[in-house]
Amino acid sequence: MASDAALRTDLVVVGAGVAGLTGAVTAAESGLDVLVINKGRGWHPGDREPGTATYFAQGGIAVVEPHNTEDSVALHTRDTVVAGAGLTDPVATESIVSDGFEAISALVRWGALFDTGADGHYLRTREGGHSVRRIIHAGGDATGAQVQRALAQKALSHPNISVLDNTYAQQILRSSDGTVVGLAVASGNGARSEVHSPTVVLATGGAGHMYRATTNPVGATGDGIALAHAVGAAVADMEFIQFHPTMLYRPGVRGRRTLISEALRGEGAVLVDLEGHSVTAGIHPLGDLAPRDVVANAVSAAMARTGAEHVYLDARHIADVARRFPTVTAGVAEIGIDPAVDLIPVVPGAHYLCGGVVTDTAGATTVPGLYAAGEVARTGLHGANRLASNSLLEGLVMGTRVAQAAAGRSGIKPAAPEAGAAVEVRIAPRQELQDQMSGHAALSRDQTGLTALADRLESVPSRRPSGLADHEDSALTLTAQLVVAAALARKESRGCHHRTDNPAAPTGTR
């Protein structure tokens, strides 16, 4: 579409999860015209197939409440830094944690309902790596669904917010001086157009579908990483892919699998191997509530020791488990499991990209006019391993901040975009990519496997993408290359990057 026929808006947001919709609503409430672009639907209330990672977030939101005398911003920051294995930015962490309760309060004003006790205060649970109970939740283990519902209803009803569903961002547009001025987008039927805006926010989530099995929704294909990398934005910490210790075991099932919330372990559920022995005994002082990388590696070791394809989570002694964890109960019922009477078979699963597009604490990337928030971004909060339930917190806080940045840029008139030539990109067959990444760049890696994988990815032929499937597979291919290159460069084991050829983590990183 010619530039004079392009859509024009104050802010364009790519993605409709917690970070994207928080940014959209906050910006709209400040008077900006906002366009939300989402490559599917799956984020509207009542959609049958949820399409955001936010929706599937079960455990809750880590937040320091002002009246909680057992907790503090300093303590939450310390727990986050410890979990990050020496690579967390303490200044960025304190900044984000400090704004958590204010962000929760805004969400409540927009209609979110969290579980409360008789005293009216939020009920809190504990998860791995947290030294106190600071995780607030909704609907027992349906926190993400509640957050998604509240944000979606607010966004869809706001007069300043327009939505383009079934539309994906093909390319970030820049002016002659390199400043971002909008997006080239395509709809599901192949129609192409341009959106011109002084500010573009990437809130596209992660890239879990690099692997055979993941807790991520089907759209988590690394789109934002690829878009940002194509215009020269810095990325970092790509080797740190967090594998959740407890994904429902389903042999032969490829794609998204059910997450078994860490909050079950916070309420006393325990991991045992097929012989009934504790999986984490003697591994870490926090046992089953150790940071996720520690527990995931303990699960993997137990599987290797017993020759089994899974371990078990025993939640049978949790009182009224179906009421407290209705999402988990419904998920495991699909394979005939009742957590009140049965052991739950679990394995580690690809869950969260701790690195991503580098931003400052306002969400600005290294490219003028381009911002990122949520899982696609690397703020420094997560370091080498994300602390449980810090993801929704980060999405809320950073979504607010990118909106504030956009408000400060709303008077800028975007220059004309430079014409972009069609480019060829590597597009690996998805199942082959998933098998290779699962075999050589998953929970454990080594030099031989990573080198072979890097060579294989480099040999993938380039061609012009055609349609959404090619767009996603090209993004997965590039993201995989970035992950493998970073994993090769980091010879040590640290956080959720485990090198079997150098398994000892540096002293003082845990």
Side-chain angles (χ1 to χ4, degrees):
M1 180 179 288
S3 294
D4 59 359
L7 293 171
R8 300 178 187 276
T9 188
D10 296 321
L11 170 65
V12 57
V13 177
V14 187
V18 58
L21 292 186
T22 298
V25 171
T26 304
E29 295 221 314
S30 72
L32 272 61
D33 289 327
V34 182
L35 177 64
V36 175
I37 292 173
N38 197 59
K39 64 181 178 181
R41 265 182 60 102
W43 63 276
H44 296 241
D47 280 349
R48 295 182 60 187
E49 294 294 332
T52 70
T54 297
Y55 180 92
F56 290 111
Q58 295 176 3
I61 305 174
V63 63
V64 177
E65 297 180 75
H67 70 272
N68 184 2
T69 58
E70 296 179 351
D71 203 4
S72 66
V73 167
L75 186 56
H76 190 175
T77 299
R78 189 198 72 180
D79 289 347
T80 302
V81 169
V82 169
L87 294 185
T88 301
D89 180 340
V91 175
T93 297
E94 183 178 7
S95 170
I96 293 169
V97 167
S98 295
D99 282 355
F101 192 74
E102 184 179 347
I104 291 293
S105 300
L107 186 61
V108 170
R109 289 196 301 273
W110 296 336
L113 300 171
F114 292 96
D115 299 335
T116 57
D119 59 2
H121 292 155
Y122 297 132
L123 295 176
R124 299 189 299 269
T125 190
R126 186 179 170 196
E127 295 183 355
H130 291 272
S131 55
V132 298
R133 297 173 74 93
R134 67 164 64 95
I135 315 300
I136 67 171
H137 47 82
D141 61 352
T143 308
Q146 176 68 204
V147 170
Q148 188 72 53
R149 178 201 62 78
L151 287 171
Q153 289 181 344
K154 187 68 175 178
L156 291 168
S157 65
H158 204 293
N160 288 4
I161 297 177
S162 302
V163 173
L164 286 178
D165 282 326
N166 301 308
T167 301
Y168 62 97
Q170 289 184 309
Q171 181 183 19
I172 295 170
L173 302 176
R174 291 183 294 170
S175 63
S176 58
D177 67 358
T179 300
V180 169
V181 293
L183 291 170
V185 302
S187 65
N189 62 15
R192 291 173 171 79
S193 59
E194 289 184 0
V195 180
H196 293 175
S197 175
T199 309
V200 172
V201 172
L202 299 175
T204 52
H209 287 270
M210 288 186 293
Y211 298 94
R212 280 193 297 259
T214 176
T215 64
N216 292 182
V218 294
T221 53
D223 301 28
I225 301 292
L227 287 165
H229 188 268
V231 294
V235 299
D237 295 345
M238 293 296 292
E239 66 270 40
F240 300 116
I241 308 291
Q242 185 179 83
F243 278 68
H244 197 287
T246 54
M247 179 180 71
L248 184 65
Y249 171 69
R250 298 191 67 179
V253 175
R254 189 183 291 267
R256 195 191 77 80
R257 294 189 195 168
T258 298
L259 172 70
I260 308 300
S261 172
E262 191 161 322
L264 272 87
R265 283 177 279 135
E267 297 299 328
V270 294
L271 286 160
V272 296
D273 63 23
L274 268 64
E275 298 168 351
H277 301 133
S278 169
V279 166
T280 60
I283 302 267
H284 191 279
L286 292 176
D288 283 1
L289 288 179
R292 286 179 175 172
D293 62 304
V294 175
V295 180
N297 282 317
V299 170
S300 180
M303 291 163 56
R305 183 177 65 250
T306 62
E309 294 184 343
H310 61 84
V311 299
Y312 287 115
L313 184 68
D314 185 356
R316 294 175 296 180
H317 58 283
I318 296 179
D320 204 6
V321 65
R323 180 196 59 79
R324 174 63 181 86
F325 297 100
T327 305
V328 168
T329 300
V332 301
E334 295 179 3
I335 62 168
I337 296 291
D338 179 353
V341 297
D342 299 316
L343 297 172
I344 304 170
V346 294
V347 292
H351 184 58
Y352 196 88
L353 176 62
C354 295
V357 183
V358 174
T359 76
D360 62 16
T361 53
T365 74
T366 56
V367 176
L370 181 64
Y371 290 72
E375 189 174 353
V376 70
R378 184 270 193 189
T379 60
L381 176 67
H382 306 309
N385 180 47
R386 176 174 68 85
L387 182 65
S389 287
N390 268 356
S391 53
L392 291 178
L393 167 76
E394 183 184 41
L396 290 167
V397 172
M398 296 307 298
T400 301
R401 292 183 180 180
V402 295
Q404 293 167 343
R409 297 174 50 81
S410 60
I412 299 173
K413 183 179 180 180
E418 284 195 315
V423 296
E424 294 188 341
V425 291
R426 290 186 175 87
I427 306 176
R430 185 176 299 199
Q431 289 198 8
E432 179 182 328
L433 174 71
Q434 291 172 337
D435 290 342
Q436 292 288 323
M437 289 294 288
S438 297
H440 301 298
L443 190 59
S444 298
R445 302 97 180 257
D446 63 29
Q447 184 76 20
T448 301
L450 289 168
T451 300
L453 179 51
D455 291 344
R456 174 69 191 95
L457 292 171
E458 186 68 25
S459 71
V460 171
S462 297
R463 59 182 174 86
R464 292 182 182 179
S466 175
L468 177 59
D470 275 1
H471 165 79
E472 290 186 326
D473 288 350
S474 67
L476 283 172
T477 305
L478 174 61
T479 304
Q481 287 187 287
L482 294 171
V483 169
V484 172
L488 275 167
R490 187 171 292 280
K491 307 299 184 184
E492 64 181 2
S493 289
R494 186 184 290 262
C496 52
H497 169 68
H498 180 64
R499 288 283 298 251
T500 58
D501 47 0
N502 189 11
T507 302
T509 61
R510 179 62 66 206

